[in-house]
Amino acid sequence: MHFTAEQRLEDGVVERRFTLGDIPGILWTPATTSAPAPLILIGHPPLGLDRMYPRLAGRARYYAAEHGFAAATVELPGSGDRPRWPAAEQARADLRRAVETGVRPVPGEIVDALVLPLVERAVPEWQAALDALLALPGIGGPVGYEGGVISVGIRLAVAEPRIRAAGFFAGSLVPAAMFEEARRVTVPLQVLLQWDDEGNDRQAALDLFDAFGSREKTLHANMGGHTGVPQFELEPGARFFARHLK
Amino acid sequence: MHFTAEQRLEDGVVERRFTLGDIPGILWTPATTSAPAPLILIGHPPLGLDRMYPRLAGRARYYAAEHGFAAATVELPGSGDRPRWPAAEQARADLRRAVETGVRPVPGEIVDALVLPLVERAVPEWQAALDALLALPGIGGPVGYEGGVISVGIRLAVAEPRIRAAGFFAGSLVPAAMFEEARRVTVPLQVLLQWDDEGNDRQAALDLFDAFGSREKTLHANMGGHTGVPQFELEPGARFFARHLK
């Protein structure tokens, strides 16, 4: 892990850009910490870190400045400046065509082709990032994961015992196979659902929530579309992680 | 309104028993207040204030001690020591029989007979209580309503302009007519749903949430049965009211 840039922001949070091999990432840490800060991994859709930066930094800085968490994210495979691969490009083109021609629900084979290889590639990378991040001074376990891609989060929550709580965003297309995997998730969950999400099937999201094996799981459904998660959801998210990571 | 008993509890909250005509009620006020405290009406099922006291006082004292709200509740018509009326007794007996013989869903005519007269009688009483409570020194509007019976809350939210926010508990049988009335609710809502509520149809609760006309509405669904609302839901409830009443 190499740090490539560092700045102290006006809220006192330190933002550091890093690379892990060829994977770019960002780490936010609180101004001061007495004990090692629990770490929250900030998930995001595969649209590139630069485009997602305002939303990711908003959440991460809130967690760090107001609640003393460290927060980190890495670029997903095939996003931002990272190399594409032909099958993923084909799946993205197929999805665009399905959406443009109003095919709903999006056919399962397109969802599978789009999401499953992303999960396969991304999860070991997030785990490698976790190894590197937890080796830094001032950052300690346990770890939380929050955001989408929910399928990446599901696989991580199942595969990675260092993750002790997850705040998922039920806003992406979910392969049928991930519903089965969801039954094996046992960590406490808080799931955000946008009730009128134009790109997401509400009933499928409720079915997925129902499928999770966790004994403690909470659904927060709010009005509005995909990007309309209310600002007031930041606080219960942080308090959820504080209950389980501190 | 006549106060019949007063005690200062160990958290500094003052608990006063009162009667309003022949209706018993309880008022909880914070230890100290600079400005008039916003008021939260604490709704409850028709099981009698004495039986409900621990749960009601737990919520009310938290609101008062931790967040500076006043909180109050009154006995529902036909509950506790208040006079029964034959049609309500008949409806309760019909419900018991339906539940015992496993008739599900509970037939609409039983739900209507049980809930609609309760709404008709209770709502003017809660409004009269509001008149009396808001005339007390140290208590000021705006007002919130929280809890069940959700149908009472719906009617109050529609009929009573002093109510500016409502935290409903989606845990009771709801007459079909109340779904229509729900569309006329416009105040901000936070709705609690117990995902495995043995006495409540989950899909009906989701349909009711969908029906509410409010632009800001949030659903918090948690695992467990009717009485299993997690302790950690107290805080987002209080913060919801703080956003809208302070």
Side-chain angles (χ1 to χ4, degrees), chain A residues 147-169:
Chain A
V149 177
I150 195 169
S151 295
V152 172
I154 291 170
R155 173 71 55 83
L156 262 173
V158 169
E160 180 48 68
R162 290 173 292 187
I163 291 182
R164 302 287 176 79
F168 290 144
F169 179 52

Side-chain angles (χ1 to χ4, degrees), chain B residues 37-93:
Chain B
L39 176 65
I40 301 178
L41 299 175
I42 310 280
H44 50 85
L47 300 171
L49 277 190
D50 284 346
R51 181 167 158 195
M52 292 302 299
Y53 175 81
R55 276 189 273 166
L56 303 178
R59 282 143 61 191
R61 289 172 65 175
Y62 174 77
Y63 290 140
E66 303 294 328
H67 294 271
F69 291 109
T73 191
V74 290
E75 186 68 272
L76 288 169
S79 290
D81 293 332
R82 299 191 62 194
R84 271 66 178 153
W85 65 96
E89 293 298 285
Q90 183 62 51
R92 287 190 197 207

Side-chain angles (χ1 to χ4, degrees), chain B residues 14 47 52-53 55 92 98 100 112 126 133 136 139-140 146 155 157 162 174 186 191-192 208 210-211 241 245:
Chain B
V14 177
L47 300 171
M52 292 302 299
Y53 175 81
R55 276 189 273 166
R92 287 190 197 207
E100 281 164 12
D112 288 354
W126 285 80
L133 289 161
L136 295 172
I139 300 181
E146 72 116 65
R155 173 70 55 83
R162 290 174 291 187
V174 181
T186 57
V191 179
L192 284 177
L208 182 60
D210 195 47
F241 284 120
L245 304 183

Side-chain angles (χ1 to χ4, degrees), chain B:
Chain B
M1 173 175 268
H2 295 283
F3 289 105
T4 56
E6 170 172 338
Q7 56 175 328
R8 182 176 291 269
L9 307 166
E10 62 267 33
D11 49 13
V13 172
V14 177
E15 177 180 296
R16 280 178 281 182
R17 302 266 173 168
F18 64 82
T19 55
L20 186 75
D22 64 343
I23 308 168
I26 314 173
L27 170 64
W28 294 268
T29 46
T32 55
T33 49
S34 44
L39 176 65
I40 301 178
L41 299 175
I42 310 280
H44 50 85
L47 300 171
L49 277 190
D50 284 346
R51 181 167 158 195
M52 292 302 299
Y53 175 81
R55 276 189 273 166
L56 303 178
R59 282 143 61 191
R61 289 172 65 175
Y62 174 77
Y63 290 140
E66 303 294 328
H67 294 271
F69 291 109
T73 191
V74 290
E75 186 68 272
L76 288 169
S79 290
D81 293 332
R82 299 191 62 194
R84 271 66 178 153
W85 65 96
E89 293 298 285
Q90 183 62 51
R92 287 190 197 207
D94 291 344
L95 174 66
R96 259 195 310 276
R97 197 169 317 111
V99 169
E100 281 164 12
T101 56
V103 178
R104 284 299 161 107
V106 175
E109 58 270 24
I110 297 180
V111 175
D112 288 354
L114 195 73
V115 178
L116 293 178
L118 182 67
V119 171
E120 288 294 337
R121 291 174 185 232
V123 167
E125 295 182 356
W126 285 80
Q127 289 181 292
L130 210 45
D131 295 339
L133 289 161
L134 291 177
L136 295 172
I139 300 181
V143 178
Y145 176 92
E146 72 116 65
V149 176
I150 194 169
S151 295
V152 172
I154 291 169
R155 173 70 55 83
L156 262 172
V158 169
E160 180 48 68
R162 290 174 291 187
I163 291 182
R164 303 288 176 79
F168 289 144
F169 178 52
S172 44
L173 300 163
V174 181
M178 297 308 296
F179 280 73
E180 281 313 305
E181 207 155 323
R183 295 183 202 287
R184 293 163 49 207
V185 173
T186 57
V187 294
L189 292 185
Q190 193 154 285
V191 179
L192 284 177
L193 169 64
Q194 286 298 100
W195 200 248
D196 309 303
D197 192 336
E198 56 288 351
N200 191 28
D201 180 77
R202 186 193 299 162
Q203 191 56 53
L206 293 168
D207 290 346
L208 182 60
F209 176 71
D210 195 47
F212 285 116
S214 307
R215 212 168 48 180
E216 182 189 324
K217 50 180 175 177
T218 299
L219 178 75
H220 285 194
N222 287 289
M223 294 306 97
H226 189 77
T227 58
V229 176
Q231 193 67 11
F232 62 69
E233 283 292 354
L234 273 174
E235 183 175 299
R239 292 191 177 267
F240 165 76
F241 284 120
R243 279 206 310 280
H244 296 292
L245 304 183
K246 280 185 176 171

